[in-house]
Amino acid sequence: MSPSLPLAPRAPHVVLAAGGTGGHMFPAEALADALLGRGARLTLVTDRRGEAFGGTLGRLETRRILAGGIAGRGLVGRARGAVELGLGLIQALGLLRRLDPDVVVGFGGYASLPPLLAAIRQKRPTVVHEQNALPGRANRMLAPRVSRFAVAFAHGQAPAGITPVWTGMPVRPAVLALRDEPYQPAGADEPFRLLVTGGSQGARVFSTLLPEAIALLPDSQRQRLHLTLQSRPEDLEAAQARVQDLGLAGVELSSFFTDLPRRLAQAHLVVCRSGASTMGELAVLGRPAVLIPYPHAIDDHQTANARGMDEAGGGWLMPQGPLTPQALAERLEALMNAPEALARAARCARAVGVPDAAARLADLVLATARTREIHS
Ligand SMILES: CC(=O)N[C@H]1[C@@H](OP(=O)(O)OP(=O)(O)OC[C@H]2O[C@@H](n3ccc(=O)[nH]c3=O)[C@H](O)[C@@H]2O)O[C@H](CO)[C@@H](O)[C@@H]1O
């Protein structure tokens, strides 16, 4: 009798459930890269917006499901959202039966709800990753029922009764590739690169607030300033008009910079919203930032996100409400003339970075997948 060959271990099959904007898709992409590197088989279950996302996720086997929000869209909007969610759940139940994944991972947002609810119903292992320091509605709802609840922020709040696993915020390989670039502060008369970014959708207010603040800087500071300003598409023209006569050393405007990681790495100072990926990227790269949270984010979670960095000394939290162009100009001028303070903040930001967050989350996901026999 010929000796039997040992069976090759089957690659774990992971379903990634994420949709909506970059906020959920970027960390899903970072996890996808880490899981592919560990030999996992991946399927992306997403909504219409997530399907349009490129990069690693764009190359995965993808299934689209219906997903609607049920919060704050008026009675008709909520009713439609609830119907879509119900239909999405029926789709997801059938889809998971066919795909038979070993684990389902969700990133919050309504697109992740149907696949996770279906997985819970079918007693499959599940992992949720919460990107914000205050958990979102979908994740709060799922928290007591999923196998593991991973969080990005060590200082964040977990849903009641949950023991979270702190993995950090998975950031894209394009960011990780730049993490050894040292922060080089600009001397008092040297060119100063200021990067202004409002997250994946841009921030409307930055197109007026920043030009107005920069206009108040002394000539000598404006003449050394290289400004990279992300504006929402509808504000680009007006923002261009506001900055063109300010006598800056250089200006670049766009509604979305595809090379943002490189621009972050090159910035002497960043002015930004405090979305979870932006915070994760600033920390991994170790770049100082003025943090202006989006005041209408659900439960004001961007303020909670920014607080950890502010307290660690890696940035300056400036709430938008009371912020005037004058106050921002004073802060900018002070920082442009304080290379040592900027270098110190860069070090403090780096100290809270978690460059191996995607790896940690990938390991957690695969360990959870191995508990499948216990679940079924
Ligand atoms: C307005 C709002 O509610 N935003 C939420 C959204 O984040 P939102 O997607 O707006 O912001 P994030 O900071 O999480 O992510 C932005 C991402 O876009 C990239 N980028 C940005 C601009 C650009 O020109 N090029 C570019 O590549 C950044 O590098 C980053 O990777 O989901 C996040 C995760 O749940 C939340 O923390 C945010 O509060």
Side-chain angles (χ1 to χ4, degrees), residues 21-24 26 131-132 172 197-201 230 255-257 260 274-278 281 294 297 301-302 305:
T21 63
H24 302 303
F26 280 124
Q131 296 95 57
N132 295 300
R172 298 178 274 163
T197 171
S200 58
Q201 312 299 305
Q230 182 198 8
S255 58
F256 192 83
F257 292 98
L260 198 81
S274 40
S277 286
T278 303
E281 292 165 6
Y294 174 54
H301 66 248
Q302 288 206 354
N305 291 352

